[in-house]
Amino acid sequence: MYKLDDSIGYKLFQSSRLINNRLNQTFRSNGYPITHEQWQLLSRLFEKDGQSQQSLAALNERDEPSVSRLVANMERSGLVERRPHPTDKRMNLVFLTEESKRMKEDYTASAVQTLEEAARGIDRDELAQCMHTLDRIRRNLS
């Protein structure tokens, strides 16, 4: 018999929601002006600054309109800036501001702290197996 509370989708959704809420709470308590969604984009820009919104959407598996809204909000908050693409005038590239670059280590420390709290008491091998399983689920459904 199917039971929602025992389904993998429900457990993944609830776990993700709790991690995202905790990360937002951690950012707020540290006075950081970012959300977990903005953190995802900042993380991609920390890896490679100056990406298109389309690239950020693809990397974060989000639709382009929602990434566009996030980038607009982040631009208003001084986290990123959009600049015209050097060869394709129809496209903008998203760059970190100096403030975001300066805060990279602090933002990252908050994210790491949250993930460590989520994984507290879980054996390293168990966690590695869980990550492997989650990757497989993503591949199965992609």
Side-chain angles (χ1 to χ4, degrees):
M1 174 175 187
Y2 175 81
K3 188 170 180 187
L4 179 64
D5 289 337
D6 294 335
S7 80
I8 190 166
Y10 187 75
K11 288 179 183 291
L12 287 171
F13 170 77
Q14 292 298 335
S15 297
S16 176
R17 183 185 59 77
L18 288 168
I19 289 171
N20 290 337
N21 287 346
R22 177 63 60 92
L23 185 55
N24 284 337
Q25 181 182 42
T26 301
F27 286 147
R28 265 193 315 275
S29 69
N30 285 311
Y32 302 149
I34 63 173
T35 64
H36 75 276
E37 293 172 312
Q38 294 170 337
W39 166 247
Q40 290 174 349
L41 296 186
L42 287 173
S43 293
R44 298 300 184 179
L45 292 170
F46 290 144
E47 293 169 6
K48 181 183 177 223
D49 203 8
Q51 296 187 57
S52 69
Q53 290 179 184
Q54 294 83 358
S55 172
L56 291 169
L59 287 169
N60 286 297
E61 300 176 28
R62 298 184 66 106
D63 62 274
E64 289 182 29
S66 67
V67 169
S68 181
R69 283 189 299 276
L70 277 170
V71 169
N73 288 336
M74 292 169 74
E75 193 171 35
R76 280 192 291 279
S77 298
L79 296 168
V80 299
E81 61 184 17
R82 286 185 268 204
R83 299 182 203 154
H85 191 282
T87 59
D88 186 348
K89 299 302 176 197
R90 299 167 298 165
M91 184 184 301
N92 287 316
L93 298 178
V94 182
F95 287 87
L96 295 163
T97 61
E98 289 305 314
E99 175 67 10
S100 288
K101 290 177 187 176
R102 187 180 69 73
M103 294 300 295
K104 176 184 177 183
E105 297 306 317
D106 293 330
Y107 294 159
T108 302
S110 290
V112 168
Q113 172 192 339
T114 300
L115 294 174
E116 287 174 350
E117 288 174 20
R120 188 178 316 128
I122 300 172
D123 179 77
R124 267 184 23 188
D125 291 338
E126 281 182 287
L127 191 56
Q129 180 59 48
C130 177
M131 298 297 277
H132 175 75
T133 302
L134 292 172
D135 287 341
R136 185 178 233 167
I137 290 169
R138 291 178 68 209
R139 281 192 308 275
N140 287 346
L141 298 176
S142 291

